[in-house]
Amino acid sequence: MSAGHGRFVAVVNCMDGRVQESVSRFAKQKFSADYADTITEPGPIRALAEDPSGAESASIRRRLDISVIKHQAVGIVVAGHGDCAGNPRPRETQEIQLKGAVQTLKQWFPDVPVVPVWVRPEDWEVEELG
Ligand SMILES: [Zn+2]
């Protein structure tokens, strides 16, 4: 189905430059994808969890539609990270937000697996959450 243009995964991540490469690498490995379509906002998990029908979430959804519908993305990775300027909350709070973000994304795209991750501020590497 996507043979002509490669296999895609979608990433919803913070705009923070420190978390781009490790999350992209993880997402491509996790879903055996060639390319990661990356949608960034400052701390997007807050809006997805706490304001799923608001303007920021709608903007994220428009971009995910392109990835899922046009590129047939085989999965979605959604990330939170430590030392986040856009969403300055402790890890415990962000893990709750990530659960809410996963629920929102699964409602929008029930046929696409969604994987939440935490990016450690110690070394900017990815931990997959359950
Ligand atoms: Zn951030």
Side-chain angles (χ1 to χ4, degrees):
M1 182 161 45
S2 58
H5 55 247
R7 183 175 164 96
F8 289 84
V9 63
V11 171
V12 180
N13 201 359
C14 186
M15 57 168 281
D16 192 315
R18 298 172 294 185
V19 298
Q20 303 306 310
E21 288 170 30
S22 61
V23 176
S24 178
R25 188 184 330 117
F26 169 86
K28 286 188 284 186
Q29 281 174 358
K30 177 75 182 173
F31 288 100
S32 302
D34 302 302
Y35 306 108
D37 288 340
T38 304
I39 294 147
T40 68
E41 297 285 346
I45 60 173
R46 179 168 55 185
L48 290 172
E50 298 172 6
D51 189 21
S53 53
E56 185 177 334
S57 291
S59 169
I60 292 167
R61 183 172 185 170
R62 277 195 297 278
R63 288 174 279 163
L64 275 172
D65 278 341
I66 293 171
S67 188
V68 170
I69 296 167
K70 304 270 190 183
H71 286 167
Q72 291 106 38
V74 294
I76 300 171
V77 172
V78 59
H81 71 97
D83 194 37
C84 184
N87 184 29
R89 299 290 184 273
R91 175 170 178 164
E92 305 77 58
T93 306
Q94 292 202 48
E95 288 202 14
I96 294 165
Q97 292 173 329
L98 275 163
K99 285 195 175 79
V102 167
Q103 283 190 327
T104 297
L105 294 167
K106 283 183 170 171
Q107 276 191 342
W108 291 347
F109 305 104
D111 300 326
V112 182
V114 181
V115 173
V117 301
W118 173 254
V119 189
R120 298 191 296 251
E122 296 84 13
D123 57 6
W124 307 111
E125 286 302 325
V126 169
E127 291 179 27
E128 183 175 349
L129 302 176

